[in-house]
């Protein structure tokens, strides 16, 4: 049974509005932060009208606005948001189609970023997978999540308390710390796997049951799935370098590209760690097979020694089972005991010889 549950959904056509995820029952919540270096305003459970008012307010034109949305299954609401925020229909369709690959798109005045978020569920090997999309436009940043989670809790607290430099920076820096928070979950997931891998390496030296090999293969499958999720993220972050070099998108300040370069470096570190863990699982498999082979060799060695010991005994018994009339030993009064004694001496001598040669 697969340890990773990721619902395969059918592909939808561009500009076609359909939510393709599995989270269709939780209520949709929208939270809006408006802040600058001097202070902030927080609006919970806001509606489309309130969002439109805050986004178009000329008094807040230079303020950073972060709209965070939990839940994507209300297609009509997503279409309304697209109209209010000036988002093209095909981008809204891509947000709703969570089966799309991680990528980044530079759309003139909009930077669209979608990423797969992966986090291991508690007390389980199952991975929780969801898509998180980001839209960067003017002083606005919109984040779309399939369901409510605690990825960005610490970032909200930093905005409320003024901790760090988040309120001193624009929305491009906010995008950076949000992406960084999502990537931290990859490290958390990998760290939990590494603990299991260490236990598997130790167990592979002593456990000869086939169930252990199944567990190793399941861990390898999970890591390969993580790898497939990180590779497009690495490519997307690398694309930011091309955007910077082309100098066509001014939504990210030149000085802040260094932060996204750090994220690209993080993605490389994640891939390196995954490769290292996969190699460790290969080592666990090799240890398991080596232990199996060694155990089998030991069994064959023991059986061989018993076979060699019984070969001369079988030879002796075969001679005295030939039923010829002219066999003087058959009529000897103590012949039976002499033959048994001779067989015992042969066994003792052979065991002594094997011990001296350290064959067992």
């Amino acid at each position: 049974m697969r340890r990773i549950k990721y619902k395969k959904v059918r592909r939808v056509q561009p500009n076609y509005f359909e939510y393709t995820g599995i989270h269709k029952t939780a209520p949709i919540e929208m939270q809006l932060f408006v802040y600058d270096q001097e202070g902030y305003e927080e609006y919970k459970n806001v509606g489309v009208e309130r969002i439109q008012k805050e986004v178009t307010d000329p008094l807040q034109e230079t303020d950073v606005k972060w709209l965070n949305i939990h839940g994507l299954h209300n297609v009509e609401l997503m279409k309304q948001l697209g109209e209010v925020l000036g988002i093209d229909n095909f981008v809204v369709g891509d947000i709703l189609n969570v089966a799309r690959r991680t990528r980044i798109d530079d759309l003139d005045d909009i930077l669209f970023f979608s990423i797969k978020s992966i986090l291991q569920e508690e007390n389980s090997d199952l991975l929780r997978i969801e898509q998180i999309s980001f839209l960067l436009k003017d002083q606005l940043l919109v984040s779309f999540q399939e369901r409510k989670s605690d990825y960005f809790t610490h970032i909200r607290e930093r905005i409320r308390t003024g901790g760090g430099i988040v309120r001193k920076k624009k929305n491009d820096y906010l995008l950076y710390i949000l992406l960084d928070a999502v990537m931290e979950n990859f490290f958390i997931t990998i760290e939990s796997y590494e603990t299991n891998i260490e236990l598997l390496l130790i167990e592979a030296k002593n456990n000869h049951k086939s169930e252990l090999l199944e567990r190793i293969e399941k861990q390898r499958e999970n890591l390969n799935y993580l790898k497939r999720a990180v590779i497009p993220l690495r490519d997307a972050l690398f694309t930011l370098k091309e955007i910077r070099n082309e100098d066509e998108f001014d939504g990210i300040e030149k000085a802040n590209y260094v932060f996204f370069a750090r994220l690209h470096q993080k993605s490389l570190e994640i891939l390196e760690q995954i490769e290292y863990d996969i190699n460790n699982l290969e080592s666990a498999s090799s240890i398991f097979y080596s232990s199996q082979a060694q155990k089998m060799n030991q069994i064959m060695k023991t059986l061989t020694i018993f076979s060699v010991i019984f070969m001369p005994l079988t030879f002796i018994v075969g001679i005295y089972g030939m039923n010829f009339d002219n066999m003087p030993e058959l009529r000897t009064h103590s012949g039976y005991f002499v033959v048994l004694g001779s067989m015992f001496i042969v066994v003792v001598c052979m065991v002594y010889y094997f011990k001296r040669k350290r064959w067992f």
Side-chain angles (χ1 to χ4, degrees):
M1 184 179 73
R2 279 183 65 87
R3 306 300 290 172
I4 298 176
K5 288 187 176 181
Y6 181 69
K7 184 177 179 61
K8 291 185 178 180
V9 295
R10 68 181 182 86
R11 302 292 179 175
V12 298
Q13 297 299 322
N15 298 330
Y16 182 76
F17 299 99
E18 178 184 356
Y19 172 60
T20 59
I22 61 176
H23 307 292
K24 300 181 179 180
T25 57
I28 293 179
E29 296 182 13
M30 295 190 292
Q31 180 186 39
L32 177 65
F33 279 94
V34 180
Y35 65 87
D36 60 12
Q37 189 170 349
E38 303 301 326
Y40 80 98
E41 293 179 347
E42 179 180 355
Y43 305 95
K44 297 181 180 179
N45 297 322
V46 294
V48 176
E49 295 79 9
R50 184 71 184 191
I51 294 172
Q52 185 176 17
K53 179 180 181 300
E54 296 296 329
V55 171
T56 58
D57 188 352
L59 298 178
Q60 299 181 143
E61 184 178 359
T62 59
D63 294 345
V64 176
K65 304 166 189 70
W66 173 29
L67 175 61
N68 188 55
I69 301 171
H70 294 124
L72 305 177
H73 54 85
N74 190 333
V75 176
E76 290 301 320
L77 178 60
M78 294 297 109
K79 290 172 65 176
Q80 293 179 26
L81 281 173
E83 294 174 0
V84 168
L85 301 177
I87 304 173
D88 291 335
N89 287 340
F90 78 90
V91 176
V92 177
D94 287 344
I95 294 171
L96 294 173
N97 184 10
V98 298
R100 295 295 298 271
R101 190 173 184 263
T102 295
R103 74 187 196 283
I104 183 172
D105 288 329
D106 175 17
L107 307 171
D108 295 331
D109 61 335
I110 294 178
L111 186 68
F112 174 64
F113 206 122
S114 68
I115 181 176
K116 299 298 182 185
S117 172
I118 298 181
L119 184 64
Q120 186 176 10
E121 295 185 358
E122 295 183 2
N123 304 320
S124 173
D125 287 339
L126 296 176
L127 291 181
R128 190 177 69 198
I129 302 174
E130 64 177 291
Q131 177 173 290
I132 300 179
S133 300
F134 300 96
L135 275 173
L136 188 71
K137 179 182 180 182
D138 300 327
Q139 295 301 318
L140 173 67
L141 176 64
V142 188
S143 53
F144 300 86
Q145 297 179 249
E146 291 190 69
R147 64 175 177 175
K148 193 171 184 177
S149 60
D150 56 355
Y151 295 124
F152 308 140
T153 301
H154 65 289
I155 298 175
R156 296 187 184 95
E157 289 302 317
R158 287 167 64 179
I159 293 175
R160 294 179 182 124
T161 61
I165 62 173
V166 61
R167 290 207 339 221
K168 300 177 183 178
K169 292 283 189 177
K170 298 299 182 181
N171 57 343
D172 54 349
Y173 180 80
L174 178 61
L175 173 62
Y176 155 69
I177 59 177
L178 293 179
L179 290 172
D180 185 63
V182 174
M183 293 183 67
E184 281 299 319
N185 290 297
F186 283 91
F187 284 105
I188 294 173
T189 303
I190 293 172
E191 183 178 356
S192 64
Y193 277 125
E194 287 179 343
T195 302
N196 295 333
I197 291 172
E198 290 177 2
L199 295 176
L200 288 174
L201 282 169
I202 296 174
E203 192 174 352
K205 300 176 182 178
N206 304 310
N207 189 347
H208 305 293
K209 297 181 179 179
S210 59
E211 172 265 343
L212 175 63
L213 188 61
E214 294 177 3
R215 287 160 52 197
I216 292 175
E217 291 303 318
K218 288 175 182 177
Q219 293 288 342
R220 196 198 325 268
E221 181 182 359
N222 289 351
L223 287 174
N224 281 323
Y225 196 90
L226 279 173
K227 183 179 178 180
R228 293 200 305 271
V230 176
I231 288 177
L233 173 60
R234 176 203 61 187
D235 297 340
L237 291 169
F238 181 79
T239 303
L240 280 177
K241 295 182 179 180
E242 300 300 321
I243 295 176
R244 177 192 60 187
N245 295 335
E246 292 173 0
D247 199 21
E248 294 181 356
F249 181 72
D250 57 0
I252 298 178
E253 296 180 1
K254 288 291 185 181
N256 289 338
Y257 274 104
V258 64
F259 296 116
F260 294 94
R262 292 178 185 176
L263 292 181
H264 181 255
Q265 184 62 34
K266 266 192 173 183
S267 67
L268 296 178
E269 292 175 4
I270 292 173
L271 286 174
E272 289 176 359
Q273 195 61 43
I274 291 175
E275 289 290 349
Y276 175 78
D277 292 334
I278 291 176
N279 289 335
N280 280 341
L281 287 174
E282 293 286 350
S283 298
S285 298
S286 299
I287 292 173
F288 175 81
Y289 285 119
S290 297
S291 298
Q292 289 286 79
Q294 184 178 6
K295 182 182 178 182
M296 182 62 66
N297 289 338
Q298 190 64 37
I299 293 173
M300 294 303 297
K301 181 179 179 181
T302 302
L303 293 176
T304 302
I305 289 174
F306 273 100
S307 299
V308 171
I309 290 175
F310 277 92
M311 283 177 62
L313 305 184
T314 304
F315 175 75
I316 295 174
V317 171
I319 290 177
Y320 287 98
M322 288 189 294
N323 296 326
F324 288 110
D325 290 336
N326 190 18
M327 293 182 69
E329 296 87 351
L330 295 178
R331 295 171 175 78
T332 303
H333 183 268
S334 58
Y336 174 72
F337 302 100
V338 172
V339 172
L340 284 181
S342 300
M343 294 171 67
F344 177 76
I345 292 173
V346 169
V347 170
V348 172
C349 291
M350 294 184 70
V351 170
Y352 172 76
Y353 180 77
F354 293 158
K355 281 285 188 181
R356 187 174 180 182
K357 290 291 185 178
R358 296 181 180 179
W359 289 353
F360 69 91

